[in-house]
Amino acid sequence: MYARGIRPFTVCAPRYRMVKTISVSGVLGLDNTRKFMLAEEKEKEMRVVLTAVYSALREKGYDPINQIVGYLLSEDPTYITNYQNARALIRRIDRDELLQELVRNYLG
């Protein structure tokens, strides 16, 4: 019996002459219930990016806290060094979301 009417299908790769039966429910992840955790992943990404930016600024001899605050207040990326791609990293994060997360962690 197949889950929810989903049947396995056969994939044939002519180059290698290989035939494999694949369960669509397994490929689509329908076998197990998964939790959607976008907020946790965003928080984790922000932490990794901020840590990398902090390290890059520190290695270049800047005061990382002052430089990051300058960037957050002005949104001017020149406060962040290009060293170790730190400027590109911090620009991947939405500034408003980053400020929200910083305040949440500070007060929470």
Side-chain angles (χ1 to χ4, degrees):
M1 187 94 205
Y2 303 110
R4 298 183 194 133
I6 299 175
R7 299 173 187 244
F9 62 94
T10 302
V11 176
C12 197
R15 186 175 189 189
Y16 299 106
R17 296 175 190 230
M18 180 172 75
V19 176
K20 183 175 183 181
T21 302
I22 299 173
S23 168
V24 175
S25 62
V27 171
L28 297 177
L30 300 176
D31 292 339
N32 299 327
T33 303
R34 292 188 179 187
K35 249 182 160 175
F36 187 68
M37 296 185 196
L38 182 61
E40 287 180 17
E41 292 203 15
K42 275 192 161 212
E43 181 182 331
K44 190 175 184 180
E45 181 187 4
M46 285 185 212
R47 185 176 304 277
V48 168
V49 167
L50 271 180
T51 303
V53 169
Y54 182 91
S55 296
L57 288 165
R58 192 171 195 151
E59 285 179 30
K60 290 302 277 183
Y62 297 108
D63 180 4
I65 302 298
N66 286 343
Q67 296 303 112
I68 292 171
V69 167
Y71 168 73
L72 291 173
L73 292 176
S74 68
E75 203 168 0
D76 181 4
T78 58
Y79 279 98
I80 307 299
T81 182
N82 271 326
Y83 180 68
Q84 293 184 348
N85 209 23
R87 189 176 296 165
L89 283 174
I90 202 159
R91 294 192 78 190
R92 286 182 13 200
I93 299 174
D94 181 53
R95 187 178 65 114
D96 294 334
E97 289 178 6
L98 181 57
L99 282 168
Q100 256 184 352
E101 194 60 39
L102 289 170
V103 170
R104 187 177 297 119
N105 282 321
Y106 183 78
L107 295 176

